[in-house]
């Protein structure tokens, strides 16, 4: 399959002003896309839950990269499951349908690791996606996103519509969301350690017991994966984007404390939820199908993220 020449393509990036979106725009430019032909949709002026906005967004476009999502950590998932289900399902399903109707050449859908079953053999293989129900706290979000895979596969089967589906693992990096009310685990921990240091605290309370494992993908690597797949992958099967490196939350907290110079004691709040027991991806398909492997190791990525936070918080 020939690599898609992006230089003359009209590209829409939904959520392009977001954490991953800004990096995808940079990678598109590096891959030769014309910045003047790229449109970024933002939620405040293009609510994709409204069909007419989806139709306007895809009109006369060649490639849609759908990154927009209503997303957050365990806290948000517990507080707003209905909103997370509805918003993510409506945005995605209407955008895909509008893109098909408008004759868009290619639709790139970025899904979520939350779509995997709660108990999935580790490392997660894409073929295990349907072998059970997702972890309860993030199931509404995960199921809504997973429905978009079914839609893309069925539109491919019936209409020959070229839609691909990517499953990035938890992202982190500079410019992440560090708001403790809605952030994911790495930025939440960095913020928490920083605040403890500012106050001179001798203890650091952390949710859960530290036993779950996670895998983290540096945001620049994720953006590279999205753009390489946009250029080089046309398959119906979903593809994981990750590092294949697994770390326990306990080890992650200790590493962040070490990198930030926090000397206090970590207090595990075992009455708080742990989330999914283990997460680590099989990344072989991305390597085989479009030659993607992550470049940035976790320790270096954490250093970059902490440095950025300290300069910008």
């Amino acid at each position: 399959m020939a690599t898609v020449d992006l230089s003359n393509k009209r590209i829409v990036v939904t959520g392009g002003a977001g954490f991953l979106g800004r990096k995808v725009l940079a990678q598109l430019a590096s891959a030769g896309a014309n910045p003047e032909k790229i449109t970024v949709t933002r939620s405040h002026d293009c609510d994709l839950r409204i069909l007419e906005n989806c139709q306007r967004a895809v009109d006369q476009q060649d490639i849609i990269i759908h990154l927009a999502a209503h997303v957050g950590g365990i806290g948000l998932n517990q507080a707003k499951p209905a909103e997370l289900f509805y918003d993510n399902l409506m945005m995605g399903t209407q955008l895909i349908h509008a893109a098909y109707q408008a004759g868009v050449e290619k639709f790139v859908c970025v899904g979520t690791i939350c779509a995997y079953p709660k108990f999935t053999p580790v490392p997660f293989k894409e073929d295990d996606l349907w072998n059970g129900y997702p972890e309860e706290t993030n199931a509404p979000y995960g199921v809504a996103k997973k429905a978009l895979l079914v839609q893309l596969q069925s539109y491919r089967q019936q209409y020959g519509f070229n839609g691909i589906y990517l499953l990035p693992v938890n992202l982190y990096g500079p410019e992440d969301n560090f708001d403790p009310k809605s952030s994911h685990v790495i930025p939440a921990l960095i913020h928490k350690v920083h605040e403890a240091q500012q106050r001179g605290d001798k203890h650091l309370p952390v949710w859960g017991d530290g036993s779950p494992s996670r895998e983290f993908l540096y945001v620049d690597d994720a953006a590279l994966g999205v753009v390489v797949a946009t250029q080089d992958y046309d398959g119906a099967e979903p593809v994981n984007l990750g590092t294949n490196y697994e770390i326990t939350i306990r080890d992650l907290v200790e590493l962040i404390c070490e990198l930030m110079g926090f000397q206090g004691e970590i207090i595990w709040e075992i009455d708080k939820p742990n989330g999914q027991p283990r997460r680590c991806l099989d990344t072989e398909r991305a390597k085989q199908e479009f030659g993607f492997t992550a470049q940035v190791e976790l320790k270096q990525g954490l250093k970059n993220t902490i440095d950025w936070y300290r300069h910008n918080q």
Side-chain angles (χ1 to χ4, degrees):
M1 189 194 78
T3 296
V4 173
D5 177 5
L6 298 176
S7 60
N8 60 350
K9 298 296 185 191
R10 291 158 303 184
I11 303 170
V12 172
V13 183
T14 73
F19 175 47
L20 175 58
R22 292 191 295 271
K23 302 295 187 183
V24 167
L25 294 175
Q27 291 288 352
L28 284 169
S30 297
N34 179 349
E36 292 178 7
K37 294 192 171 186
I38 298 175
T39 305
V40 172
T41 69
R42 292 176 168 84
S43 54
H44 62 79
D45 57 13
C46 183
D47 184 343
L48 296 174
R49 293 171 302 180
I50 298 165
L51 178 60
E52 292 74 23
N53 290 343
C54 293
Q55 290 167 330
R56 268 201 304 279
V58 303
D59 187 42
Q60 306 289 311
Q61 300 294 323
D62 300 312
I63 297 171
I64 312 297
I65 300 177
H66 180 43
L67 308 176
H70 185 175
V71 64
I74 290 179
L76 187 73
N77 278 293
Q78 287 181 318
K80 298 189 171 178
E83 284 180 37
L84 291 173
F85 180 80
Y86 180 84
D87 291 354
N88 288 292
L89 184 66
M90 296 309 287
M91 282 194 287
T93 199
Q94 295 189 132
L95 195 66
I96 291 168
H97 189 67
Y100 150 67
Q101 287 187 314
V104 165
E105 287 174 26
K106 187 164 191 177
F107 194 103
V108 181
C109 188
V110 175
T112 173
I113 194 71
C114 301
Y116 272 100
K118 180 174 183 176
F119 299 105
T120 307
V122 177
F124 296 6
K125 289 184 165 62
E126 293 92 344
D127 295 342
D128 292 330
L129 199 55
W130 295 101
N131 292 348
Y133 194 70
E135 201 276 320
E136 293 80 7
T137 51
N138 51 38
Y141 172 65
V143 170
K145 285 295 227 179
K146 191 149 69 160
L148 305 180
L149 169 61
V150 178
Q151 184 178 6
L152 287 170
Q153 289 177 329
S154 53
Y155 278 48
R156 179 184 292 270
Q157 186 183 339
Q158 188 172 342
Y159 306 133
F161 182 62
N162 184 13
I164 66 168
Y165 191 89
L166 306 173
L167 287 156
V169 75
N170 300 46
L171 305 182
Y172 74 102
E175 300 179 58
D176 204 341
N177 166 27
F178 289 86
D179 178 350
K181 290 194 285 294
S182 57
S183 57
H184 287 102
V185 61
I186 285 178
L189 287 169
I190 291 171
H191 175 82
K192 184 173 264 196
V193 172
H194 177 79
E195 294 286 293
Q197 287 175 313
Q198 295 298 302
R199 290 190 302 265
D201 293 354
K202 296 285 180 277
H203 299 100
L204 185 78
V206 181
W207 275 29
D209 63 13
S211 66
S213 73
R214 291 292 179 266
E215 172 182 344
F216 299 98
L217 181 61
Y218 194 61
V219 66
D220 296 67
D221 278 338
L224 176 64
V226 169
V227 173
V228 172
T230 300
Q231 291 182 284
D232 291 335
Y233 182 62
D234 285 324
E237 296 306 314
V239 184
N240 289 334
L241 296 180
T243 60
N244 194 231
Y245 174 75
E246 184 180 10
I247 185 170
T248 65
I249 296 298
R250 182 175 292 273
D251 289 344
L252 175 69
V253 172
E254 288 171 359
L255 179 56
I256 288 173
C257 287
E258 177 196 323
L259 292 172
M260 295 182 74
F262 178 74
Q263 305 289 331
E265 185 190 357
I266 299 162
I267 307 293
W268 296 99
E269 300 187 296
I270 56 175
D271 58 322
K272 298 287 200 301
N274 268 329
Q276 194 163 18
R278 287 180 74 187
R279 267 187 201 166
C280 184
L281 298 186
D282 184 300
T283 54
E284 204 49 43
R285 186 176 285 173
K287 198 181 299 178
Q288 288 174 350
E289 293 288 348
F290 47 93
F292 172 73
T293 49
Q295 308 295 310
V296 181
E297 290 188 340
L298 181 64
K299 192 168 184 177
Q300 184 60 52
L302 287 174
K303 280 183 185 165
N304 298 349
T305 308
I306 291 163
D307 288 347
W308 183 89
Y309 176 77
R310 283 187 161 150
H311 286 110
N312 295 278
Q313 52 81 30

